[in-house]
Amino acid sequence: MRIWSQAEQRLELILGDITDQRADVIVNAANPQLASGGGVDGATHRRGGPAIMAETQARYPQGCKTESAVISTAGKLEARFVIHAVGPVWAGENRGEATQLRSAYQSCLTLAEEHQCQSVAFPSLSTGVYRFPVEAACHIAVDTSIAFLLAQPSLKRVVFVLFDRPTLFTFEKALTEIAPSLKD
């Protein structure tokens, strides 16, 4: 586990299953229709139960646009909320995907802060079936999160729960480059 911390705030990188996390918010890598899919999205809906889908369908019948996020109940998950973030599909940076990914992370962090959450668990947004290059995505995720933590002291903990070792190592590299004063 790699940790960046300052005062009472911290950013952690761990290998694991995001649906096992105890956090105020678990971020779901959603699609624009907010329909249950595969990967993190499928796992979130399977583990959290039908209450998550029922609420998203009722509250957000038009779905959620790329680069944005919406919030719902966490159902049976060990969290207060699920934030459904829609990251961009990679198209070679032809449609401003880096800006869209940064906005998706920022939207999640803002929603968490607005709902008085102190901890957020993220997956690596857009790096699965949406094919965003992992190295670039990691830098965006870490940089956006640290900047938000420094600006919003009410948020205490951001944890990236990564599914495989190569992604974890790439996040660790990004964290080392962005915030060289790390703690193990």
Side-chain angles (χ1 to χ4, degrees):
M1 172 178 10
R2 288 287 237 188
I3 299 171
W4 168 88
S5 65
Q6 181 167 316
E8 295 180 14
Q9 296 174 295
R10 57 193 288 137
L11 183 141
E12 301 171 22
L13 307 174
I14 64 171
L15 187 65
D17 179 344
I18 196 165
T19 64
D20 289 335
Q21 294 303 301
R22 290 178 180 253
D24 291 331
V25 172
I26 290 176
V27 176
N28 176 31
N31 55 57
Q33 297 78 30
L34 300 176
S36 184
V40 170
D41 189 45
T44 301
H45 285 282
R46 280 190 303 277
R47 187 90 178 262
I52 296 171
M53 182 61 71
E55 184 174 337
T56 58
Q57 288 176 339
R59 289 181 67 189
Y60 313 106
Q62 301 303 313
C64 180
K65 71 177 189 151
T66 299
E67 80 183 73
S68 194
V70 296
I71 195 164
S72 75
T73 181
K76 298 176 185 175
L77 295 170
E78 295 290 329
R80 290 176 38 213
F81 304 104
V82 171
I83 291 178
H84 307 271
V86 182
V89 174
W90 181 253
E93 192 50 42
N94 294 323
R95 295 182 304 213
E97 295 92 341
T99 300
Q100 291 174 332
L101 185 60
R102 185 173 301 279
S103 179
Y105 279 108
Q106 183 72 37
S107 294
C108 293
L109 293 163
T110 300
L111 274 173
E113 196 267 334
E114 287 172 356
H115 286 81
Q116 295 145 3
C117 297
Q118 293 187 359
S119 58
V120 179
F122 277 105
S124 179
L125 295 175
S126 286
T127 59
V129 298
Y130 284 10
R131 301 176 319 277
F132 202 105
V134 176
E135 189 169 335
C138 295
H139 275 83
I140 291 167
V142 169
D143 184 59
T144 303
S145 297
I146 289 175
F148 193 91
L149 285 166
L150 292 172
Q152 299 295 332
S154 60
L155 186 61
K156 302 295 183 201
R157 179 176 172 251
V158 171
V159 58
F160 284 92
V161 184
L162 306 161
F163 184 72
D164 61 32
R165 290 192 187 283
T167 304
L168 173 64
F169 294 146
T170 306
F171 263 85
E172 288 175 343
K173 181 178 181 238
L175 183 58
T176 301
E177 291 169 0
I178 292 167
S181 57
L182 295 175
K183 298 179 181 180
D184 286 315

